[in-house]
């Protein structure tokens, strides 16, 4: 699903960043924010069998940038 979503985003002429875990997603968001490259959208799998869930990652991203998550 990750590859499919990334391909669709690329076909729409947008850049994409993929992450294999919630921790990786938070790190990518944090690094992009530090470099002034804000994400237009974040799509996450809410429940994961192990590691940080999408919900936990969303909360962590919100702590990095309170304006990042609107819905």
């Amino acid at each position: 699903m990750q590859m499919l979503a990334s391909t669709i985003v690329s076909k729409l002429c947008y850049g994409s960043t993929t992450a294999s875990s919630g921790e990786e997603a938070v790190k990518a968001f944090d690094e992009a924010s530090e470099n002034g490259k804000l994400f237009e959208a974040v799509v996450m799998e809410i429940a994961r069998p192990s590691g940080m869930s999408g919900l936990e990652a969303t909360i962590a991203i919100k702590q990095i940038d309170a304006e990042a998550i609107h819905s």
Side-chain angles (χ1 to χ4, degrees), residues 22-53:
E23 293 89 352
E24 196 176 312
V26 173
K27 181 179 178 186
F29 185 89
D30 191 30
E31 289 174 357
S33 293
E34 286 178 1
N35 294 319
K37 297 179 180 183
L38 303 178
F39 290 163
E40 293 289 330
V42 176
V43 178
M44 289 206 212
E45 179 180 355
I46 295 298
R48 294 190 44 89
S50 63
M52 180 185 279
S53 72

Side-chain angles (χ1 to χ4, degrees), residues 6-7 14 17 19-21 24-25 28 36-38 41 45 50 53 58 60 63 65 67:
S6 180
T7 300
Y14 291 99
T17 301
S20 298
S21 68
E24 196 176 312
K37 297 179 180 183
L38 303 178
E45 179 180 355
S50 63
S53 72
T58 300
Q63 290 174 347
D65 181 357
E67 297 296 316

